[in-house]
Amino acid sequence: MIEFRKVCKKYGTGTMALKNVSFNIQKGEFAFLVGSSGSGKSTLIKLILKEEEPTSGNIIINGKDTTFLKQGKVPYLRRSMGVVFQDFRLLPDKTVYENVAFAMYIVKATPKHIRRQVPMVLSLVGLSGKAKMYPSELSGGEQQRVALARALVNNPSMIIADEPTGNLDPDTAWDIMSLLNEINMRGTTVVVATHAKEIVDQMKKRVIHIDKGVIVKDDKKGGYNCEI
Amino acid sequence: MRFNVISYLFKEGIKNVFKNKKSTISSLMIMCATMLIFGLFFVIGENINAFVKEIADAQGIRVFLINSATDSEIEEVGKELLEIEGVRDVRYISKEEGLESMRETLGDEIIAGYTENNILPASYEVKLTDLELNEEVQKDILQIPNVEDIESSNPVIEQIIRLAKGVKIITAVILILLIVISIAIIANTIKLTVHARRKEISIMKYVGATNSFIRWPFLVEGVIIGVIAGLISVGIVGALYTYFYGKLSGTIFMDIANLKLIEFKDMFELILIVYLGLGAGIGAIGSAISMRKYLDV
Ligand SMILES: Nc1ncnc2c1ncn2[C@@H]1O[C@H](COP(=O)(O)OP(=O)(O)OP(=O)(O)O)[C@@H](O)[C@H]1O
Ligand SMILES: [Mg+2]
């Protein structure tokens, strides 16, 4: 589903952020991406989203090599992935409902479809009662749930999350990770870059370790602390 | 596109207009100012044009034929005259008609001697589509065989034509300046809204919005600002013009100069179309320019 083949990424500044990175995440898999700060996790995610271009190598998503994808086709690639960030990225002047519906407007969904789909994902993330509230009236965990609902609303085949729990306390972080796990159980592929060591250790999912831009370990049922 | 999507994009565009009130208002003012200067020359130009046209209608070129021309040769000249570009209408004036019209202007006594032996040549009266073509048409006419001489407009007309040309050039230059300045101003205003909404735009991109979808609200914003500037300008030009029309028409000066101003209502439609077209076009181009740079990222 997400395959990297000998991918290198060198930024304009000269930083080699990724070196010869290869891995393959299967459909329906749950994979953590771990590594110290500056190791290249966000860079890897940006490459998946085609926010950045690889310097060399190939990236295959849903069986399609995206390396030479035309700019105009990128939006359609992104519709197959739901994205979640550390800072939630909600629109402050829109309600919870509107924030989620927004993602459907953008892909030109019918009003009927929007009216049916939005309450459904809101109940999935446990926010049915807060549809009319504004982001500023929600806790961090609740805001991240809204972001997750927005990522899910167009039924993407994968969820890509960059430190989704980075701004949350440990309990709330667990809630969000469990939610991601639940989403994964329904068949959605999930990739999570994170520093949440304990959660990674306990969840027993695949863990891809990156260090200074190199994959140093790829554990099918790993934890953070495995020996290299 | 579906109606709800269109209405969504429009609502967003209208929201954009109010997002940066200060910059919207300042770009409106600058656009109105340039549109008003353009409007000033535009209405002056329209009046001169109308005046020139009136003269063109009254005044024609008189084409005299050589006395020995046969009927078929005369007919041939008429055909050739009609083929000249810029000739609207050709009327044949026979020797007799020529004498008759002379009698009307000069009186019976002077004409009396000529009635027996009419030495007046037959002629054509040529009306032009556009007085500016006067010179070229005259040259062409003189090429036609069997044409003896032509009699044409006086120097005053030449001067008015030159004036009309000058005003046209000034109007065109001002129009270009208006377009360039306004596009830059609108582009800048939209850049500010783009900046204010960059978070929203980046979210839209992550969710898979196409560039054209992202562009629409800003396009709507630009067109709205342009159209509003156009409407305000039409209002101000109309009010000012009507005021000066009232002041000027009927004054002794205008009577002596035999000038008649166009009423604003006769120009209203044209000015409205020109201003709205300009406003919408400038708005669209301005927003396209400010978005192009942004969306290429
Ligand atoms: N846009 C950029 N331009 C230049 N260098 C960059 C850019 N983005 C990242 N880098 C560099 O690439 C390297 C990897 O950065 P990246 O953001 O991928 O790390 P990370 O693993 O996500 O770190 P963190 O855990 O702190 O988020 C770093 O050395 C960083 O300075
Ligand atoms: Mg990062």
Side-chain angles (χ1 to χ4, degrees):
Chain A
M1 172 139 272
I2 304 172
E3 191 187 350
F4 273 49
R5 286 188 197 151
K6 296 191 177 158
V7 172
C8 292
K9 173 65 188 178
K10 188 177 180 179
Y11 281 109
T13 53
T15 313
M16 267 304 246
L18 292 177
K19 293 167 210 156
N20 248 331
V21 168
S22 297
F23 63 84
N24 191 356
I25 295 170
Q26 303 293 334
K27 188 171 162 50
E29 224 178 330
F30 190 122
F32 281 117
L33 212 54
V34 304
S36 54
S37 186
S39 56
K41 304 181 296 295
S42 296
T43 302
L44 199 152
I45 280 177
K46 282 178 186 161
L47 288 173
I48 297 176
L49 299 175
K50 218 166 162 63
E51 200 182 326
E52 292 285 350
E53 302 292 326
T55 312
S56 65
N58 297 72
I59 298 168
I60 292 107
I61 303 215
N62 279 332
K64 254 202 177 142
D65 193 333
T66 66
T67 321
F68 300 105
L69 196 65
K70 283 200 201 93
Q71 271 303 314
K73 296 268 184 242
V74 172
Y76 302 96
L77 171 75
R78 289 192 182 151
R79 287 176 197 186
S80 66
M81 16 180 123
V83 198
V84 180
F85 297 97
Q86 177 174 357
D87 56 357
F88 320 136
R89 302 196 188 175
L90 301 175
L91 297 170
D93 55 350
K94 285 184 158 63
T95 64
V96 167
Y97 184 96
E98 288 163 351
N99 261 286
V100 177
F102 178 70
M104 294 189 77
Y105 269 119
I106 280 167
V107 298
K108 298 170 188 142
T110 62
K112 201 175 145 197
H113 191 198
I114 293 174
R115 279 197 299 272
R116 209 177 35 207
Q117 183 77 359
V118 176
M120 215 169 74
V121 284
L122 283 180
S123 91
L124 178 70
V125 299
L127 281 180
S128 291
K130 312 218 157 162
K132 288 202 173 70
M133 294 173 91
Y134 286 89
S136 58
E137 300 165 340
L138 301 176
S139 72
E142 286 167 337
Q143 290 185 46
Q144 194 60 300
R145 285 165 188 268
V146 179
L148 205 48
R150 181 182 62 198
L152 285 170
V153 78
N154 289 324
N155 282 321
S157 54
M158 60 191 101
I159 293 283
I160 314 289
D162 192 355
E163 300 194 36
T165 62
N167 281 350
L168 305 175
D169 66 68
D171 281 352
T172 320
W174 261 113
D175 288 348
I176 295 294
M177 286 296 190
S178 316
L179 199 50
L180 282 168
N181 194 26
E182 204 178 301
I183 291 159
N184 174 245
M185 296 301 184
R186 294 161 174 254
T188 310
T189 311
V190 177
V191 178
V192 184
T194 185
H195 289 288
K197 186 167 163 294
E198 279 172 29
I199 298 178
V200 175
D201 283 344
Q202 287 186 40
M203 276 181 69
K204 300 274 177 266
K205 302 286 187 189
R206 177 173 177 186
V207 182
I208 299 171
H209 298 252
I210 311 181
D211 184 34
K212 297 191 185 80
V214 180
I215 294 190
V216 288
K217 198 169 168 75
D218 189 347
D219 267 322
K220 290 292 167 196
K221 284 228 180 311
Y224 212 99
N225 285 336
C226 297
E227 307 261 326
I228 295 169
Chain B
M1 251 190 273
R2 271 188 209 88
F3 176 73
N4 77 313
V5 176
I6 294 174
S7 78
Y8 171 81
L9 293 172
F10 259 86
K11 267 187 226 147
E12 292 300 303
I14 292 164
K15 258 193 231 164
N16 279 354
V17 174
F18 294 102
K19 202 117 194 166
N20 273 297
K21 288 194 196 73
K22 263 190 207 154
S23 121
T24 301
I25 288 170
S26 63
S27 60
L28 270 178
M29 290 201 309
I30 292 170
M31 268 190 89
C32 283
T34 48
M35 277 182 161
L36 287 178
I37 297 169
F38 164 70
L40 174 72
F41 282 87
F42 187 80
V43 294
I44 291 174
E46 281 299 299
N47 273 294
I48 293 179
N49 277 348
F51 184 57
V52 169
K53 213 176 226 140
E54 206 170 290
I55 300 170
D57 273 343
Q59 198 93 27
I61 301 172
R62 194 77 178 270
V63 179
F64 296 102
L65 306 172
I66 54 170
N67 241 330
S68 60
T70 63
D71 282 354
S72 68
E73 279 167 346
I74 291 172
E75 207 173 304
E76 186 60 29
V77 171
K79 272 184 203 152
E80 288 196 39
L81 283 173
L82 268 176
E83 272 167 24
I84 296 171
E85 199 185 318
V87 171
R88 180 166 52 96
D89 193 22
V90 169
R91 191 171 71 89
Y92 177 62
I93 300 165
S94 65
K95 288 170 178 247
E96 293 72 30
E97 281 173 282
L99 191 67
E100 191 54 39
S101 80
M102 205 180 240
R103 191 203 307 281
E104 273 165 27
T105 39
L106 300 178
D108 283 339
E109 298 89 57
I110 296 171
I111 298 299
Y114 294 109
T115 33
E116 300 298 296
N117 185 15
N118 188 352
I119 53 142
L120 276 178
S123 66
Y124 276 104
E125 194 178 64
V126 174
K127 294 259 165 99
L128 303 177
T129 52
D130 186 351
L131 261 195
E132 274 178 37
L133 296 170
N134 201 350
E135 269 177 53
E136 286 109 82
V137 172
Q138 284 189 34
K139 264 185 221 149
D140 286 347
I141 291 174
L142 286 172
Q143 304 287 319
I144 300 173
N146 299 320
V147 168
E148 169 92 56
D149 193 13
I150 54 179
E151 191 185 281
S152 167
S153 47
N154 54 49
V156 179
I157 290 174
E158 303 284 327
Q159 243 159 3
I160 290 171
I161 291 166
R162 223 169 293 141
L163 179 67
K165 260 186 192 161
V167 170
K168 255 183 207 167
I169 291 168
I170 294 174
T171 313
V173 170
I174 289 175
L175 181 62
I176 290 166
L177 280 177
L178 155 78
I179 290 173
V180 171
I181 293 172
S182 304
I183 285 177
I185 291 290
I186 284 207
N188 191 57
T189 300
I190 288 169
K191 219 176 275 166
L192 290 179
T193 352
V194 171
H195 190 73
R197 300 189 73 166
R198 66 192 179 285
K199 190 175 164 187
E200 223 168 318
I201 294 173
S202 91
I203 293 170
M204 288 169 96
K205 283 186 170 179
Y206 283 123
V207 187
T210 55
N211 281 355
S212 66
F213 188 91
I214 295 173
R215 223 177 258 135
W216 268 105
F218 298 98
L219 199 77
V220 170
E221 178 190 1
V223 172
I224 287 175
I225 294 176
V227 165
I228 290 176
L231 288 176
I232 293 174
S233 303
V234 171
I236 297 176
V237 167
L240 286 178
Y241 187 85
T242 312
Y243 173 77
F244 283 109
Y245 180 87
K247 284 264 160 191
L248 282 175
S249 53
T251 57
I252 298 167
F253 167 73
M254 298 296 278
D255 276 352
I256 290 173
N258 195 19
L259 286 171
K260 231 165 70 194
L261 292 174
I262 311 173
E263 274 188 67
F264 188 69
K265 67 174 166 54
D266 294 331
M267 287 189 292
F268 175 71
E269 245 173 71
L270 179 65
I271 289 183
L272 187 70
I273 290 169
V274 168
Y275 272 12
L276 290 188
L278 271 177
I282 287 168
I285 295 170
S287 77
I289 287 174
S290 63
M291 289 306 286
R292 197 183 56 191
K293 217 171 142 193
Y294 186 83
L295 286 175
D296 276 351
V297 177

